[in-house]
Amino acid sequence: MPLLSVPTRALPAWIVLAAASAVVACSDSSGPDELEPFTLNFAAVHNGETVGCGNVLDGLGPDGTVSVELADLRFYVSNIRFFDEQGAEVPVELDDNDFQYNSDAGNVALVDLTGTASGACAGEGLSFPEGTARTNAVVTGRTRPDLVHSIAFDVGIPQPVMKDVLASHTDADAPSPLAEMHWSWAFAYRFLVMNFTVSDGGTPGEGYVHVGSTDCGGDGTRAMTDRDTCGRINTPAVRFEHFHLDDAVGLDVDALLAGLDFQVEQTPGGPMIPGVASHSSPDQPHTATIFANLGIDMGTGASNPEDDGVFVVQ
């Protein structure tokens, strides 16, 4: 195909050469050899400050009397897309490592912002501690960092990846990082786990926020054996219109827990005590509020990034 639609003898030689160079430059600009390493950073945030194990987060609850201490904060990130200033998608490839998994069905990364060294992270004050010693606050790969102007991603495991892994692995031998957050009672996966201690005026309690797909069917031992997607996908969608790779993605703990009363029944029908209970079931007292904060429609399981107030640019 000719570079120009008019005879080249009608144009000065320098114009022909410049046009040819421009076409070559455009054709090579997004080639794999042009991609460079990138690091996408994540952090937990309270009152605009990065927090982690050992930090007491206070001022929560309807009267500002509740404080929490993180014990376990992990979530999956998938379908990462970068966009340039004009809104065109920028190529991105994720690395393969212990926290990132690539397959023909899709890719996923695990962000783990808490270890097990001390305090609530070591299980103190929790009936069901389940944190892991290893941590990971980054997603790495290759892209065009100079072009990145905005970002979108999902907080979860893509349904084809989940179905493929569940069909060919047990929860114990699943490829890393997919042995991390198997949801045994649902035979599938949790996408976001935040376990924490709760104190309201000195009265102790416990908090469990677990977000994952539900209505996943299955044969009684594995999910999705009879379907390609779960009935309620419950995968939060995140988009930042202005984001550069020297920014970090923050999970705002205050925003995730906003609107909760921090009260649960000590036993079914029993007295109320400090706590949070949300395992993606509409029957639990705090799931509707947690889902609304994440931009998830409780009825359908669909997500709208415009309704998510939990993830922020840090």
Side-chain angles (χ1 to χ4, degrees):
M1 182 176 180
L3 294 174
L4 301 168
S5 59
V6 296
T8 56
R9 65 176 179 274
L11 297 170
W14 69 269
I15 294 181
V16 176
L17 291 173
S21 298
V23 170
V24 171
C26 288
S27 64
D28 290 345
S29 62
S30 61
D33 293 340
E34 297 296 320
L35 301 185
E36 301 174 6
F38 77 87
T39 298
L40 179 60
N41 293 283
F42 291 82
V45 178
H46 168 63
N47 287 337
E49 300 293 330
T50 299
V51 295
C53 293
N55 296 126
V56 176
L57 319 183
D58 53 19
L60 302 174
D63 300 319
T65 59
V66 174
S67 61
V68 306
E69 184 179 341
L70 295 176
D72 187 10
L73 179 53
R74 292 174 283 167
F75 51 91
Y76 288 110
V77 176
S78 60
N79 197 24
I80 296 175
R81 288 148 291 153
F82 295 141
F83 304 90
D84 65 18
E85 197 165 2
Q86 286 71 45
E89 197 159 342
V90 179
V92 58
E93 300 172 356
L94 295 191
D95 295 332
D96 283 301
N97 57 45
D98 284 348
F99 292 96
Q100 298 179 185
Y101 174 70
N102 292 290
S103 74
D104 292 340
N107 55 62
V108 62
L110 175 67
V111 175
D112 188 341
L113 300 176
T114 49
T116 57
S118 62
C121 286
E124 183 178 324
L126 285 180
S127 302
F128 305 100
E130 56 177 340
T132 58
R134 66 177 192 166
T135 62
N136 177 58
V138 300
V139 174
T140 63
R142 295 172 61 82
T143 187
R144 288 289 307 275
D146 58 313
L147 297 180
V148 175
H149 183 77
S150 59
I151 181 177
F153 61 88
D154 295 331
V155 180
I157 301 171
Q159 298 284 293
V161 173
M162 190 161 71
K163 181 177 174 67
D164 179 63
V165 171
L166 289 171
S168 53
H169 299 274
T170 69
D171 59 307
D173 73 357
S176 187
L178 294 171
E180 295 277 348
M181 296 207 296
H182 189 260
W183 209 345
S184 58
W185 69 267
F187 315 115
Y189 283 92
R190 295 169 293 176
F191 301 154
L192 185 154
V193 166
M194 191 173 82
N195 301 338
F196 48 96
T197 60
V198 178
S199 177
D200 189 354
T203 304
E206 304 176 32
Y208 298 92
V209 172
H210 297 172
V211 177
S213 293
T214 57
D215 186 20
C216 296
D219 59 9
T221 60
R222 293 174 300 162
M224 302 174 73
T225 55
D226 58 347
R227 65 196 67 189
D228 290 328
T229 65
C230 297
R232 291 179 178 83
I233 296 176
N234 299 338
T235 299
V238 180
R239 176 151 185 156
F240 302 134
E241 295 299 335
H242 301 285
F243 186 89
H244 299 93
L245 287 170
D246 53 356
D247 297 322
V249 176
L251 186 154
D252 190 326
V253 177
D254 308 62
L256 180 61
L257 302 178
L260 299 183
D261 61 6
F262 289 88
Q263 292 288 304
V264 296
E265 292 180 345
Q266 187 173 22
T267 57
M272 304 299 287
I273 61 172
V276 174
S278 175
H279 296 81
S280 299
S281 168
D283 298 328
Q284 291 178 309
H286 299 130
T287 300
T289 300
I290 294 291
F291 272 36
N293 293 342
L294 287 164
I296 304 173
D297 186 293
M298 191 72 187
T300 66
S303 301
N304 185 347
E306 294 183 0
D307 295 332
D308 165 59
V310 172
F311 288 87
V312 298
V313 178
Q314 183 67 3

